[in-house]
Amino acid sequence: MLNLKTPEALKAFVQDPYPALSFLREQRMIKSPNGDWLIARDADVDFVLRDPRFGKQPLPGTEHRLPAYAQNLSDRDSMLDIDPPDHTRIRSRFVKAFSARRVEGMRPSILGLVDSLLDEIIPRGHMEAMRDFARPIPSTIIADMLGVPEADRPRFNEVSMGLIEGLGVDPATTLKERNARSDVLREEFSDYLSALFAEKRAKPQDDLISALLHKNEVEEALSEEELIINILLLFVAGHETTVNLIGNSIIALARHPEELQKLRETPALMPKAVEEFLRYDSSVQQLPRVAQADVELAGQTILAGEMVILLLASANRDEAVYQDPDVLDIERRIKRVKSFGGGAHYCLGAQLAKIETEIALGRLIERVPMFSVENLDSLNYPFNLFFRGPERLDMAWCA
């Protein structure tokens, strides 16, 4: 039985979750000590993602079956945490900004940003890649999309990182302490956005916030609270996921030099390689769902109101789907990876994250073909069961 109750066991798991996930796949699904169901196999994860009997909120009268840590689910209003029809109403306002055509059209600006970062970094001969390279790319792109003034962006990044830390399970802090810290950050973010909304209403610009405010005047309005919490979601989730995808991809290549050499020789493999990076070491490790009816799965009955945890990283390494799943193979034929979820809640920014990573890695390999990761054998991962990425990544090369 997987038990993460001790700090030592928890630390071992976040450093390398894959042996434990392999064990969980053998069990198929188990009920954890928290009272939630852990779903480990690709077919079962896919089943839950597609089945309308699983949602984000418990139906009235079934809330008592949620694990204690999730008892505040009904207080959440972001499109990540709600079900149709409200989910559909809110998501429809944002989906156009992430259309395939619009995201593809962002390639030149992403390329320009990546090259400007490398222009500054390369002469130094070294970088802490998470801070200097992986983080600025998605944070700049999403801030540009939203219309956040440049002077405010460093604080936005700090808030994003703080909220991600609040989702962690660091045994040095209590859940109450983490929630209190997150509440302070959310309140700060809310006050800032309310002031920014007033500026955008007075002087609209060509950005997503201005467009959302304009739509509120001509269509059924979203409340200011709905706008704020979903803009926060876009910034934090869209930002952090890509940061870790870039970092995890660099680590995977450093540990598999033969795959790195393939990309040096054949850069056109990069889009396929990004799919493999997503599969091999997912930046989003798991997602929750709540049963809204009694459901039979793998010979077990999941009762209405019970939570299931979809172990995306486990599904991505399922031996029933992928041959030698613990091996990185950038030419692998990929079934649709689970890293961005699925169904109605499939990640809005999935294509943008892939393109950002594709360009970031492609230009890094082209312009810094011979690099090393100096702390490859001493990487440290935060206490977070949902997001996976190293705390720092020290890289060096001959300038």
Side-chain angles (χ1 to χ4, degrees), residues 274-332:
V274 170
E275 296 291 336
E276 174 68 347
F277 299 141
L278 282 163
R279 184 202 69 81
Y280 182 74
D281 198 8
S282 179
S283 53
V284 180
Q285 292 274 297
Q286 56 180 243
L287 289 176
R289 291 290 188 270
V290 179
Q292 299 184 338
D294 293 354
V295 180
E296 296 290 327
L297 179 61
Q300 304 277 4
T301 300
I302 302 170
L303 298 177
E306 289 187 326
M307 177 171 282
V308 299
I309 302 298
L310 304 178
L311 300 173
L312 308 181
S314 174
N316 286 340
R317 292 204 186 190
D318 192 334
E319 298 84 351
V321 178
Y322 301 108
Q323 185 176 4
D324 299 323
D326 295 328
V327 173
L328 184 76
D329 178 4
I330 65 169
E331 296 182 274
R332 183 190 300 275

Side-chain angles (χ1 to χ4, degrees), residues 48 51-59 62-63 65-67 70 73 83 288-293 295 302-309:
V48 173
D51 194 309
R53 293 174 294 176
F54 290 94
K56 289 301 187 100
Q57 298 279 348
L59 293 180
T62 67
E63 301 94 333
R65 294 195 178 116
L66 286 175
L73 270 180
D83 296 309
R289 291 290 188 270
V290 179
Q292 299 184 338
V295 180
I302 302 170
L303 298 177
E306 289 187 326
M307 177 171 282
V308 299
I309 302 298

Side-chain angles (χ1 to χ4, degrees), residues 152-222:
D152 299 336
R153 294 178 184 184
R155 183 55 186 156
F156 254 55
N157 287 334
E158 291 174 8
V159 169
S160 174
M161 293 172 67
L163 289 171
I164 292 296
E165 288 173 6
L167 294 173
V169 289
D170 188 343
T173 61
T174 66
L175 177 61
K176 184 177 180 180
E177 289 170 336
R178 294 193 294 271
N179 286 344
R181 171 63 175 157
S182 295
D183 288 345
V184 169
L185 292 173
R186 286 192 182 92
E187 185 173 352
E188 177 187 340
F189 190 94
S190 178
D191 291 344
Y192 170 80
L193 277 183
S194 292
L196 185 60
F197 287 172
E199 295 177 18
K200 300 280 186 186
R201 287 187 180 104
K203 294 182 179 179
Q205 297 176 313
D206 183 20
D207 58 55
L208 181 54
I209 290 178
S210 296
L212 290 168
L213 294 173
H214 174 69
K215 276 196 170 186
N216 254 15
E217 296 175 358
V218 299
E219 297 181 13
E220 180 187 359
L222 302 184

Side-chain angles (χ1 to χ4, degrees), residues 236-250:
V236 175
H239 169 206
E240 203 67 28
T241 302
T242 310
V243 171
N244 289 333
L245 175 56
I246 292 171
N248 293 345
S249 301
I250 292 172

Side-chain angles (χ1 to χ4, degrees), residues 23-80:
F23 165 78
L24 290 173
R25 281 195 304 280
E26 292 176 4
Q27 313 308 308
R28 189 168 177 181
M29 61 180 283
I30 63 172
K31 203 165 193 178
S32 82
N34 290 324
D36 45 26
W37 291 95
L38 305 180
I39 312 294
R41 295 188 185 180
D42 178 88
D44 295 334
V45 169
D46 199 53
F47 170 81
V48 173
L49 287 172
R50 295 173 182 273
D51 194 309
R53 293 174 294 176
F54 290 94
K56 289 301 187 100
Q57 298 279 348
L59 293 180
T62 67
E63 301 94 333
H64 63 282
R65 294 195 178 116
L66 286 175
Y69 69 83
Q71 291 292 331
N72 64 342
L73 270 180
S74 58
D75 297 332
R76 300 176 184 175
D77 297 312
S78 82
M79 57 183 156
L80 185 66

